């Protein structure tokens, strides 16, 4: 098959090959300029991408998939379910605060491996075909492409919805020089439902289909580096990594197709982890325990920061010893400061004693402010009732 103009190749064969490579669904999307280019530019101009500056780069390719490489004509889109899974919850108090997609091993490796097999099959059959694969990387508007390919309809929470898969599925793409017949997009699936918009604890949806990342929990506990502003500490509530609230309330996720991929379940070496364990992780233990985990995107310091904030929001006195240790043993000022904030939220005499002692020994100005604020906020020395 040459890369110049040619009759349509049967897309059904490629979709069948995708299913044989282990994907749950596959479809072909047309490569044409984005229908939402103006909206994306307005979203970026308004700063709703928060600190994710990479989204501003390579806009020509991002807004027109045919620019991914010269001669690109079609995109084969695939979907793979990651939830729900049997026995996927874990027993430690870390896991209720981890988004479902991140509980197992890194989906990038699984998706890329299967896409590579699919590419090999295409190139064996059609040696002249040019292909390029993507999984959540590169200047690709994957949800719009997947919607064009009939793999779902964009919901009011900006996730892709499918009648059988709900929204608990991952996307991948193979761009190709082959001209494949596109699939028919699905119709809107939300109707008058606004459950996701109403459930968002931070009001991150400024309107249906419009997300402001600056108020999104997943932005703060995954993408953001450094200290949390005070409002963000309360926004993340009990989410250590990611957030599933807008998916949990979606009616299409009531009984979605279950995942079949075993690597998406929590591996044994992480199954029993709790928040206290996270605070006490050495770097070597972190590297080993979170090997192949999506959670590594937050880095060790970010994960510990998130854990301290969740502890402060849960206000459980059992967390006080580990947070107190962090005040005196942690080298990173951001973590000492967040531990101080969490202790101030929990309260009690043990927390007050640790904060007072740290105040006399701390040299970092930012941490001193956190300590003073935590002590000033203590009232009555009593921890608030346990949350959760």
């Amino acid at each position: 098959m040459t890369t110049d103009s040619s009759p349509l190749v049967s897309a059904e064969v490629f979709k069948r090959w995708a299913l044989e490579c282990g994907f749950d669904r596959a479809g072909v999307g047309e490569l044409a300029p984005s229908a939402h280019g103006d909206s994306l530019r307005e979203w970026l101009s308004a700063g709703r991408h928060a600190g994710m500056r990479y989204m501003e780069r390579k806009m020509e390719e991002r807004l027109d998939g045919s620019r991914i490489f010269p001669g690109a004509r079609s995109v084969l889109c695939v979907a793979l379910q990651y939830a729900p899974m049997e026995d996927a919850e874990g027993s430690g108090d870390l896991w209720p605060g981890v988004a479902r997609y991140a509980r197992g091993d890194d989906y990038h490796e699984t998706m890329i491996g299967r896409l590579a097999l699919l590419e090999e099959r295409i190139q064996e059959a059609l040696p002249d075909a040019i292909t390029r694969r993507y999984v959540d990387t590169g200047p690709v508007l994957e949800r719009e492409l997947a919607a064009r390919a009939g793999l779902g309809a964009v919901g009011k929470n900006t996730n892709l919805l499918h009648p059988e898969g709900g929204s608990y599925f991952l996307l991948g793409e193979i761009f190709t020089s082959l001209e494949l017949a596109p699939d028919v997009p699905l119709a809107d699936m939300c109707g008058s439902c606004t459950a996701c918009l109403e459930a968002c604890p931070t009001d991150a949806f400024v309107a249906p289909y419009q997300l402001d990342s600056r108020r999104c929990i997943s932005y703060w506990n995954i993408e953001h580096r450094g200290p949390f502003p005070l409002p963000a500490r309360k926004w993340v509530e009990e989410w250590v990594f990611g957030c599933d609230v807008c998916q949990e309330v979606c009616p299409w996720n009531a009984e979605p197709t279950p995942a079949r991929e075993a690597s998406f379940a929590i591996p044994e070496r992480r199954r029993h982890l709790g928040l206290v364990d996270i605070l006490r992780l050495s770097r070597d233990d972190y590297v080993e325990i979170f090997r192949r985990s999506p959670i590594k995107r937050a880095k060790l310091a970010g994960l510990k920061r998130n854990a301290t904030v969740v502890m402060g929001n849960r206000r459980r006195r059992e967390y006080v010893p580990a947070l107190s240790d962090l005040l005196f043993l942690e080298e990173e000022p951001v973590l000492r400061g967040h531990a101080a904030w969490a202790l101030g939220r929990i309260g009690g005499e043990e927390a007050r004693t640790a904060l007072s002692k740290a105040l006399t020994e701390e040299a970092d100005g930012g941490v001193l402010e956190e300590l003073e604020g935590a002590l000033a906020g203590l009232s009555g020395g009593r921890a608030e009732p346990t949350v959760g």
Side-chain angles (χ1 to χ4, degrees):
M1 174 63 62
T2 61
T3 60
D4 57 5
S5 182
S6 59
L8 291 176
V9 177
S10 172
E12 298 305 316
V13 173
F14 295 99
K15 290 186 283 187
R16 174 168 56 82
W17 287 350
L19 299 182
E20 291 172 356
C21 286
F23 294 107
D24 291 304
R25 291 176 295 282
V28 174
E30 178 187 11
L31 288 185
S34 170
H36 306 289
D38 290 343
S39 297
L40 177 59
R41 290 189 179 94
E42 291 174 4
W43 186 76
L44 292 169
S45 296
R48 291 177 180 165
H49 58 316
M52 297 179 286
R53 304 300 297 272
Y54 59 85
M55 300 189 71
E56 302 171 12
R57 299 194 289 268
K58 297 187 177 181
M59 287 298 292
E60 288 188 358
E61 293 93 332
R62 197 179 297 275
L63 294 176
D64 186 350
S66 67
R67 294 176 178 267
I68 290 293
F69 64 82
R73 288 194 174 91
S74 304
V75 59
L76 178 61
C77 300
V78 296
L80 184 63
Q81 294 291 133
Y82 65 82
M85 296 192 73
E86 293 182 4
D87 193 29
E89 295 303 317
S91 59
D93 69 347
L94 166 71
W95 298 110
V98 175
R100 288 167 178 79
Y101 83 87
R103 294 179 181 180
D105 285 340
D106 193 343
Y107 65 91
H108 292 90
E109 296 184 24
T110 300
M111 295 286 286
I112 289 172
R114 294 186 183 188
L115 284 173
L117 292 174
L118 183 53
E119 274 190 303
E120 289 177 10
R121 193 159 185 180
I122 293 171
Q123 290 167 355
E124 286 176 4
L126 301 162
D128 292 332
I130 301 173
T131 60
R132 187 170 298 178
R133 63 181 180 267
Y134 286 93
V135 177
D136 192 28
T137 56
V140 175
L141 296 178
E142 61 177 6
R143 274 175 291 189
E144 182 174 354
L145 293 173
R148 290 182 185 181
L151 293 188
V154 177
K156 291 178 181 176
N157 62 1
T158 73
N159 287 312
L160 208 63
L161 306 176
H162 187 272
E164 297 175 0
S167 62
Y168 292 129
F169 58 91
L170 307 161
L171 297 173
E173 304 81 36
I174 292 182
F175 290 78
T176 176
S177 58
L178 301 169
E179 190 176 358
L180 304 175
D183 283 279
V184 178
L186 299 181
D188 174 74
M189 293 175 56
C190 291
S192 61
C193 179
T194 57
C196 59
L197 310 183
E198 296 165 3
C200 179
T202 64
D203 295 322
F205 299 105
V206 296
Y209 312 101
Q210 296 183 38
L211 172 71
D212 189 337
S213 300
R214 294 169 298 189
R215 298 186 68 91
C216 180
I217 291 171
S218 292
Y219 166 73
W220 287 105
N221 64 18
I222 297 178
E223 300 291 340
H224 180 72
R225 298 290 179 260
F228 282 167
L230 287 175
R233 300 180 195 186
K234 296 182 180 180
W235 286 345
V236 300
E237 294 187 338
E238 298 193 28
W239 290 99
V240 183
F241 187 92
C243 175
D244 279 338
V245 170
C246 67
Q247 297 193 90
E248 290 172 342
V249 300
C250 178
W252 291 105
N253 282 327
E255 295 183 4
T257 302
R260 299 176 296 162
E261 173 55 48
S263 68
F264 292 162
I266 303 173
E268 187 60 32
R269 66 180 181 277
R270 296 197 289 271
R271 182 171 294 275
H272 309 294
L273 283 176
L275 295 180
V276 170
D277 299 317
I278 298 300
L279 261 57
R280 291 175 172 163
L281 276 180
S282 68
R283 177 157 297 278
D284 287 345
D285 287 342
Y286 164 76
V287 169
E288 173 56 28
I289 292 172
F290 285 95
R291 174 171 40 90
R292 300 186 64 196
S293 169
I295 295 175
K296 289 183 71 175
R297 182 171 178 82
K299 312 295 185 185
L300 177 57
L303 184 59
K304 288 188 176 185
R305 174 203 61 192
N306 298 349
T308 63
V309 170
V310 170
M311 287 176 168
N313 287 331
R314 286 184 177 174
R315 302 187 180 189
R316 296 180 184 173
R317 194 162 290 172
E318 67 200 68
Y319 296 142
V320 169
L323 289 167
S324 299
D325 287 345
L326 210 64
L327 277 182
F328 301 103
L329 301 177
E330 174 57 50
E331 295 181 1
E332 175 56 55
V334 169
L335 297 183
R336 298 200 304 274
H338 282 61
W341 175 85
L343 287 167
R345 293 269 289 175
I346 295 170
E349 193 56 38
E350 186 179 1
R352 184 188 298 276
T353 299
L355 289 167
S356 299
K357 182 178 184 225
L359 189 63
T360 65
E361 300 180 7
E362 182 60 59
D364 183 89
V367 181
L368 284 170
E369 288 184 12
E370 296 274 13
L371 288 164
E372 290 167 354
L375 284 165
L378 288 177
S379 57
R382 295 177 60 84
E384 296 188 26
T386 292
V387 177

